[in-house]
Amino acid sequence: MMVFINNWRFYILPFLSFSGSIFVFGRNSIIFNQIGSTDIYASNRNQFKFQDAISKTEGNVNEAQVEDSFQELVINTWSFSNATKAGWNVLQKTHSALDAVEIGCMQCEIEQCDGTVGYGGSPDETGETTLDAMIMDGPTHDVGAVGDLRRVKQAISVARAVMTHTTHTMLVGDAATSFALEMGFPESNLTTMKSRQIYENWRGANCQPNFHRNVTPDPKKFCGPYKPIPSRNTDRVEATANKYISKDNHDTIGMIAIDSKGRIAGGTSTNGANHKVPGRVGDSPITGAGAYVEQGVGGAVATGDGDVMMRFVPSFHAVMLMSSGMKPDAAAKTAVAKIINKYPQFSGALLAVDMNGNMGAACNNIDGFPYTYRTSKDSEVKTVTVKCSHSNS
């Protein structure tokens, strides 16, 4: 039997039974949530095949043949513990870091974590919610990403479809939506009553705050449409951060997973900056900015003022520092310090982890930056909160 709940397609399969709460069927992003003796199957495809239980690029893996020679790990930004749990449960089923990252981020898309991930949050200047996401595979260095994705809820899974079914790295805008529909993802309205109210309140406050400058009418007092005014110095503009970006309105989920075969993967998902200019794509889907993983080294994920952070590709920077022998904590601090040096007002955080499970984070102009993780040594998800520097004065 098939049912639809909030535009997510569900198949009731009473003849199936799996232990645990979530099970993934490879690229098809299938979730099993056990309810009594009946399993609910949620798919973002129109069709599925049982032989696709493990990612095609990784080959068919027999659970009994997997050697636990590496410490398994799932770690992500912010206190999104349900996402960590979802990723961990999948990791135990499929032994695939890619599956863990996809389903972990998808959990936040479904829950609309803090209103900054998934549908129904961060409307742009027209009131529309759009999504950014990316996923990266350490062993192959393959990446799939979407930016400014419209009318499709499953951003992280569309990103993985880009990686799986094309030789491209990123698709954006309505063309990315067309690709998603072609791949079998359902089209739906990403606007909710809450996001509509956020938009209307913003319009009622003369469109404050917004991201315009050097335009008329004065963007600090009026709504658009705007027209450009010449800058006195057309060669350079003062380096400024987006002071309205904070943990309260821009909590991208960034996740890294390492499976029992030592394969590392990373990914991100977000609905971007609140009241952004339509068409804006942040750092989250940009390789090396929102996330970066290097097989045999480790990975890093970023969150915060993406317009500033992407200019420094901090995730790539941190991983390269780790490849030269620096510990994750020091690598994260060094990468963030480089941003602070140029943009002391920026708000953001960087989370890094190496292949041995050593982890560290650095942040700026946030009261505290929490991240959640679970490893093979842990019996439950743990949360660590990092004290941040404050350089905005």
Side-chain angles (χ1 to χ4, degrees), residues 7 25 62 66 89 107 117 133 147 154 156 175 181 237-238 246 271 287 301 307 320 335 351 357 360 362 378 384:
N7 290 313
F25 272 52
N62 187 314
V66 176
N89 289 340
Q107 186 67 33
V117 181
Q154 303 91 335
I156 187 66
L181 299 181
V237 178
E238 180 184 359
S246 70
N271 52 35
T287 307
V301 288
D307 291 296
M320 291 301 98
L351 174 63
D378 304 312
V384 174

PDB file of all heavy atoms in Angstrom, residues 7 25 62 66 89 107 117 133 147 154 156 175 181 237-238 246 271 287 301 307 320 335 351 357 360 362 378 384:
ATOM      1  N   ASN A   7       3.923  15.129   1.200  1.00  0.00           N
ATOM      2  CA  ASN A   7       4.596  14.944  -0.079  1.00  0.00           C
ATOM      3  C   ASN A   7       5.742  13.953  -0.039  1.00  0.00           C
ATOM      4  O   ASN A   7       6.519  13.856  -0.972  1.00  0.00           O
ATOM      5  CB  ASN A   7       5.107  16.289  -0.633  1.00  0.00           C
ATOM      6  CG  ASN A   7       3.968  17.178  -1.075  1.00  0.00           C
ATOM      7  OD1 ASN A   7       3.063  16.733  -1.772  1.00  0.00           O
ATOM      8  ND2 ASN A   7       4.012  18.432  -0.657  1.00  0.00           N
ATOM      9  N   PHE A  25      18.471   1.718   1.281  1.00  0.00           N
ATOM     10  CA  PHE A  25      18.672   0.952   0.070  1.00  0.00           C
ATOM     11  C   PHE A  25      19.465   1.805  -0.905  1.00  0.00           C
ATOM     12  O   PHE A  25      18.916   2.479  -1.760  1.00  0.00           O
ATOM     13  CB  PHE A  25      17.320   0.589  -0.560  1.00  0.00           C
ATOM     14  CG  PHE A  25      16.732  -0.681  -0.046  1.00  0.00           C
ATOM     15  CD1 PHE A  25      16.587  -0.873   1.321  1.00  0.00           C
ATOM     16  CD2 PHE A  25      16.338  -1.671  -0.900  1.00  0.00           C
ATOM     17  CE1 PHE A  25      16.043  -2.026   1.810  1.00  0.00           C
ATOM     18  CE2 PHE A  25      15.788  -2.843  -0.420  1.00  0.00           C
ATOM     19  CZ  PHE A  25      15.639  -3.028   0.937  1.00  0.00           C
ATOM     20  N   ASN A  62      28.511  -7.972   1.736  1.00  0.00           N
ATOM     21  CA  ASN A  62      27.877  -8.877   2.685  1.00  0.00           C
ATOM     22  C   ASN A  62      28.250  -8.433   4.080  1.00  0.00           C
ATOM     23  O   ASN A  62      29.425  -8.254   4.395  1.00  0.00           O
ATOM     24  CB  ASN A  62      28.358 -10.315   2.434  1.00  0.00           C
ATOM     25  CG  ASN A  62      27.606 -11.322   3.285  1.00  0.00           C
ATOM     26  OD1 ASN A  62      27.413 -11.122   4.479  1.00  0.00           O
ATOM     27  ND2 ASN A  62      27.180 -12.416   2.656  1.00  0.00           N
ATOM     28  N   VAL A  66      32.272  -7.709   6.238  1.00  0.00           N
ATOM     29  CA  VAL A  66      32.856  -6.409   6.562  1.00  0.00           C
ATOM     30  C   VAL A  66      33.726  -6.533   7.805  1.00  0.00           C
ATOM     31  O   VAL A  66      33.307  -7.047   8.836  1.00  0.00           O
ATOM     32  CB  VAL A  66      31.751  -5.356   6.806  1.00  0.00           C
ATOM     33  CG1 VAL A  66      32.374  -4.039   7.229  1.00  0.00           C
ATOM     34  CG2 VAL A  66      30.938  -5.165   5.534  1.00  0.00           C
ATOM     35  N   ASN A  89      22.634   4.702  12.668  1.00  0.00           N
ATOM     36  CA  ASN A  89      21.832   3.502  12.445  1.00  0.00           C
ATOM     37  C   ASN A  89      22.014   2.966  11.031  1.00  0.00           C
ATOM     38  O   ASN A  89      22.093   1.752  10.811  1.00  0.00           O
ATOM     39  CB  ASN A  89      20.353   3.797  12.714  1.00  0.00           C
ATOM     40  CG  ASN A  89      20.066   3.992  14.187  1.00  0.00           C
ATOM     41  OD1 ASN A  89      20.831   3.561  15.050  1.00  0.00           O
ATOM     42  ND2 ASN A  89      18.965   4.671  14.487  1.00  0.00           N
ATOM     43  N   GLN A 107      17.493  13.375   7.629  1.00  0.00           N
ATOM     44  CA  GLN A 107      16.723  13.448   8.866  1.00  0.00           C
ATOM     45  C   GLN A 107      16.482  14.893   9.266  1.00  0.00           C
ATOM     46  O   GLN A 107      15.386  15.261   9.714  1.00  0.00           O
ATOM     47  CB  GLN A 107      17.447  12.703   9.986  1.00  0.00           C
ATOM     48  CG  GLN A 107      16.662  12.592  11.281  1.00  0.00           C
ATOM     49  CD  GLN A 107      15.428  11.716  11.128  1.00  0.00           C
ATOM     50  OE1 GLN A 107      15.426  10.756  10.364  1.00  0.00           O
ATOM     51  NE2 GLN A 107      14.367  12.042  11.856  1.00  0.00           N
ATOM     52  N   VAL A 117      17.194  24.120   7.961  1.00  0.00           N
ATOM     53  CA  VAL A 117      17.448  22.980   7.077  1.00  0.00           C
ATOM     54  C   VAL A 117      16.097  22.488   6.561  1.00  0.00           C
ATOM     55  O   VAL A 117      15.138  22.394   7.324  1.00  0.00           O
ATOM     56  CB  VAL A 117      18.166  21.838   7.817  1.00  0.00           C
ATOM     57  CG1 VAL A 117      18.440  20.665   6.867  1.00  0.00           C
ATOM     58  CG2 VAL A 117      19.467  22.322   8.439  1.00  0.00           C
ATOM     59  N   ALA A 133      22.643  21.766  -1.059  1.00  0.00           N
ATOM     60  CA  ALA A 133      23.173  20.553  -0.437  1.00  0.00           C
ATOM     61  C   ALA A 133      24.333  20.008  -1.256  1.00  0.00           C
ATOM     62  O   ALA A 133      24.438  20.283  -2.461  1.00  0.00           O
ATOM     63  CB  ALA A 133      22.082  19.487  -0.309  1.00  0.00           C
ATOM     64  N   GLY A 147      22.328  23.697  -5.829  1.00  0.00           N
ATOM     65  CA  GLY A 147      22.203  25.031  -5.269  1.00  0.00           C
ATOM     66  C   GLY A 147      20.922  25.680  -5.753  1.00  0.00           C
ATOM     67  O   GLY A 147      20.492  25.448  -6.894  1.00  0.00           O
ATOM     68  N   GLN A 154      13.964  16.866  -0.967  1.00  0.00           N
ATOM     69  CA  GLN A 154      15.065  15.956  -0.631  1.00  0.00           C
ATOM     70  C   GLN A 154      16.385  16.433  -1.232  1.00  0.00           C
ATOM     71  O   GLN A 154      16.974  15.781  -2.103  1.00  0.00           O
ATOM     72  CB  GLN A 154      14.727  14.537  -1.103  1.00  0.00           C
ATOM     73  CG  GLN A 154      13.430  14.003  -0.537  1.00  0.00           C
ATOM     74  CD  GLN A 154      12.221  14.297  -1.430  1.00  0.00           C
ATOM     75  OE1 GLN A 154      12.225  15.244  -2.203  1.00  0.00           O
ATOM     76  NE2 GLN A 154      11.199  13.482  -1.314  1.00  0.00           N
ATOM     77  N   ILE A 156      19.587  16.677  -0.195  1.00  0.00           N
ATOM     78  CA  ILE A 156      20.794  15.875  -0.078  1.00  0.00           C
ATOM     79  C   ILE A 156      20.729  14.660  -1.004  1.00  0.00           C
ATOM     80  O   ILE A 156      21.751  14.247  -1.570  1.00  0.00           O
ATOM     81  CB  ILE A 156      21.037  15.438   1.393  1.00  0.00           C
ATOM     82  CG1 ILE A 156      22.391  14.744   1.542  1.00  0.00           C
ATOM     83  CG2 ILE A 156      19.903  14.559   1.894  1.00  0.00           C
ATOM     84  CD1 ILE A 156      23.581  15.631   1.305  1.00  0.00           C
ATOM     85  N   ALA A 175      16.796  24.367 -13.249  1.00  0.00           N
ATOM     86  CA  ALA A 175      17.360  23.248 -14.004  1.00  0.00           C
ATOM     87  C   ALA A 175      17.682  22.078 -13.078  1.00  0.00           C
ATOM     88  O   ALA A 175      17.536  20.909 -13.467  1.00  0.00           O
ATOM     89  CB  ALA A 175      18.616  23.694 -14.749  1.00  0.00           C
ATOM     90  N   LEU A 181      13.207  15.980 -10.910  1.00  0.00           N
ATOM     91  CA  LEU A 181      11.957  15.375 -11.362  1.00  0.00           C
ATOM     92  C   LEU A 181      12.232  14.243 -12.346  1.00  0.00           C
ATOM     93  O   LEU A 181      11.565  13.201 -12.317  1.00  0.00           O
ATOM     94  CB  LEU A 181      11.068  16.438 -12.014  1.00  0.00           C
ATOM     95  CG  LEU A 181      10.643  17.612 -11.117  1.00  0.00           C
ATOM     96  CD1 LEU A 181       9.753  18.573 -11.883  1.00  0.00           C
ATOM     97  CD2 LEU A 181       9.946  17.117  -9.866  1.00  0.00           C
ATOM     98  N   VAL A 237      35.561  47.246  -2.649  1.00  0.00           N
ATOM     99  CA  VAL A 237      34.487  47.530  -1.707  1.00  0.00           C
ATOM    100  C   VAL A 237      34.951  47.094  -0.329  1.00  0.00           C
ATOM    101  O   VAL A 237      35.675  46.103  -0.181  1.00  0.00           O
ATOM    102  CB  VAL A 237      33.196  46.771  -2.100  1.00  0.00           C
ATOM    103  CG1 VAL A 237      32.092  47.040  -1.091  1.00  0.00           C
ATOM    104  CG2 VAL A 237      32.756  47.184  -3.505  1.00  0.00           C
ATOM    105  N   GLU A 238      34.561  47.840   0.682  1.00  0.00           N
ATOM    106  CA  GLU A 238      34.971  47.523   2.051  1.00  0.00           C
ATOM    107  C   GLU A 238      34.586  46.098   2.429  1.00  0.00           C
ATOM    108  O   GLU A 238      33.487  45.636   2.152  1.00  0.00           O
ATOM    109  CB  GLU A 238      34.318  48.505   3.019  1.00  0.00           C
ATOM    110  CG  GLU A 238      34.693  48.264   4.481  1.00  0.00           C
ATOM    111  CD  GLU A 238      33.955  49.193   5.420  1.00  0.00           C
ATOM    112  OE1 GLU A 238      33.172  50.024   4.937  1.00  0.00           O
ATOM    113  OE2 GLU A 238      34.169  49.068   6.644  1.00  0.00           O
ATOM    114  N   SER A 246      23.681  34.415  12.011  1.00  0.00           N
ATOM    115  CA  SER A 246      24.045  33.896  13.318  1.00  0.00           C
ATOM    116  C   SER A 246      23.526  32.475  13.444  1.00  0.00           C
ATOM    117  O   SER A 246      22.873  31.943  12.542  1.00  0.00           O
ATOM    118  CB  SER A 246      23.439  34.759  14.431  1.00  0.00           C
ATOM    119  OG  SER A 246      22.030  34.588  14.474  1.00  0.00           O
ATOM    120  N   ASN A 271      18.734  25.523   4.010  1.00  0.00           N
ATOM    121  CA  ASN A 271      17.866  26.367   3.190  1.00  0.00           C
ATOM    122  C   ASN A 271      18.421  27.785   3.082  1.00  0.00           C
ATOM    123  O   ASN A 271      17.733  28.710   2.655  1.00  0.00           O
ATOM    124  CB  ASN A 271      16.418  26.357   3.697  1.00  0.00           C
ATOM    125  CG  ASN A 271      16.304  26.687   5.173  1.00  0.00           C
ATOM    126  OD1 ASN A 271      17.062  27.505   5.709  1.00  0.00           O
ATOM    127  ND2 ASN A 271      15.351  26.073   5.862  1.00  0.00           N
ATOM    128  N   THR A 287      32.285  22.623  -2.855  1.00  0.00           N
ATOM    129  CA  THR A 287      33.329  21.707  -2.411  1.00  0.00           C
ATOM    130  C   THR A 287      34.501  22.482  -1.820  1.00  0.00           C
ATOM    131  O   THR A 287      35.026  23.407  -2.451  1.00  0.00           O
ATOM    132  CB  THR A 287      33.842  20.867  -3.598  1.00  0.00           C
ATOM    133  OG1 THR A 287      32.728  20.245  -4.247  1.00  0.00           O
ATOM    134  CG2 THR A 287      34.825  19.811  -3.137  1.00  0.00           C
ATOM    135  N   VAL A 301      33.667  20.297   8.005  1.00  0.00           N
ATOM    136  CA  VAL A 301      32.410  20.900   7.568  1.00  0.00           C
ATOM    137  C   VAL A 301      32.263  22.264   8.228  1.00  0.00           C
ATOM    138  O   VAL A 301      32.725  22.482   9.346  1.00  0.00           O
ATOM    139  CB  VAL A 301      31.197  20.011   7.904  1.00  0.00           C
ATOM    140  CG1 VAL A 301      31.154  18.793   7.000  1.00  0.00           C
ATOM    141  CG2 VAL A 301      31.212  19.577   9.365  1.00  0.00           C
ATOM    142  N   ASP A 307      28.563  33.434   2.742  1.00  0.00           N
ATOM    143  CA  ASP A 307      29.077  34.368   1.740  1.00  0.00           C
ATOM    144  C   ASP A 307      30.519  34.752   2.027  1.00  0.00           C
ATOM    145  O   ASP A 307      31.318  34.937   1.105  1.00  0.00           O
ATOM    146  CB  ASP A 307      28.206  35.622   1.692  1.00  0.00           C
ATOM    147  CG  ASP A 307      26.833  35.335   1.117  1.00  0.00           C
ATOM    148  OD1 ASP A 307      26.762  34.959  -0.065  1.00  0.00           O
ATOM    149  OD2 ASP A 307      25.838  35.468   1.853  1.00  0.00           O
ATOM    150  N   MET A 320      43.728  20.138   4.532  1.00  0.00           N
ATOM    151  CA  MET A 320      45.114  20.216   4.059  1.00  0.00           C
ATOM    152  C   MET A 320      46.084  20.391   5.229  1.00  0.00           C
ATOM    153  O   MET A 320      47.195  19.835   5.229  1.00  0.00           O
ATOM    154  CB  MET A 320      45.275  21.371   3.073  1.00  0.00           C
ATOM    155  CG  MET A 320      44.573  21.147   1.736  1.00  0.00           C
ATOM    156  SD  MET A 320      45.134  19.652   0.848  1.00  0.00           S
ATOM    157  CE  MET A 320      43.832  18.477   1.301  1.00  0.00           C
ATOM    158  N   ALA A 335      42.223  27.631  10.388  1.00  0.00           N
ATOM    159  CA  ALA A 335      41.388  27.995   9.245  1.00  0.00           C
ATOM    160  C   ALA A 335      40.414  29.111   9.595  1.00  0.00           C
ATOM    161  O   ALA A 335      40.194  30.039   8.793  1.00  0.00           O
ATOM    162  CB  ALA A 335      40.634  26.764   8.749  1.00  0.00           C
ATOM    163  N   LEU A 351      34.130  22.430  11.883  1.00  0.00           N
ATOM    164  CA  LEU A 351      34.284  21.170  12.598  1.00  0.00           C
ATOM    165  C   LEU A 351      35.178  20.251  11.778  1.00  0.00           C
ATOM    166  O   LEU A 351      34.962  20.083  10.579  1.00  0.00           O
ATOM    167  CB  LEU A 351      32.911  20.527  12.811  1.00  0.00           C
ATOM    168  CG  LEU A 351      32.842  19.131  13.419  1.00  0.00           C
ATOM    169  CD1 LEU A 351      33.407  19.133  14.837  1.00  0.00           C
ATOM    170  CD2 LEU A 351      31.401  18.638  13.420  1.00  0.00           C
ATOM    171  N   GLY A 357      39.561   9.377  14.376  1.00  0.00           N
ATOM    172  CA  GLY A 357      38.455   9.783  15.235  1.00  0.00           C
ATOM    173  C   GLY A 357      38.772  10.961  16.122  1.00  0.00           C
ATOM    174  O   GLY A 357      37.940  11.354  16.955  1.00  0.00           O
ATOM    175  N   GLY A 360      37.862  18.180  16.447  1.00  0.00           N
ATOM    176  CA  GLY A 360      38.053  19.512  17.013  1.00  0.00           C
ATOM    177  C   GLY A 360      37.229  20.520  16.247  1.00  0.00           C
ATOM    178  O   GLY A 360      36.804  20.278  15.117  1.00  0.00           O
ATOM    179  N   ALA A 362      36.305  25.054  15.859  1.00  0.00           N
ATOM    180  CA  ALA A 362      36.587  26.448  16.179  1.00  0.00           C
ATOM    181  C   ALA A 362      35.423  27.288  15.693  1.00  0.00           C
ATOM    182  O   ALA A 362      34.749  26.935  14.718  1.00  0.00           O
ATOM    183  CB  ALA A 362      37.886  26.898  15.528  1.00  0.00           C
ATOM    184  N   ASP A 378      31.369   4.341  21.525  1.00  0.00           N
ATOM    185  CA  ASP A 378      30.296   4.968  22.296  1.00  0.00           C
ATOM    186  C   ASP A 378      29.022   4.138  22.242  1.00  0.00           C
ATOM    187  O   ASP A 378      28.723   3.488  21.240  1.00  0.00           O
ATOM    188  CB  ASP A 378      30.005   6.368  21.755  1.00  0.00           C
ATOM    189  CG  ASP A 378      31.240   7.251  21.742  1.00  0.00           C
ATOM    190  OD1 ASP A 378      31.924   7.289  22.779  1.00  0.00           O
ATOM    191  OD2 ASP A 378      31.510   7.877  20.701  1.00  0.00           O
ATOM    192  N   VAL A 384      29.293  17.872  22.317  1.00  0.00           N
ATOM    193  CA  VAL A 384      30.389  18.709  22.806  1.00  0.00           C
ATOM    194  C   VAL A 384      30.077  20.151  22.425  1.00  0.00           C
ATOM    195  O   VAL A 384      29.643  20.423  21.299  1.00  0.00           O
ATOM    196  CB  VAL A 384      31.742  18.290  22.189  1.00  0.00           C
ATOM    197  CG1 VAL A 384      32.842  19.266  22.605  1.00  0.00           C
ATOM    198  CG2 VAL A 384      32.100  16.870  22.597  1.00  0.00           C
TER     199      VAL A 384
END
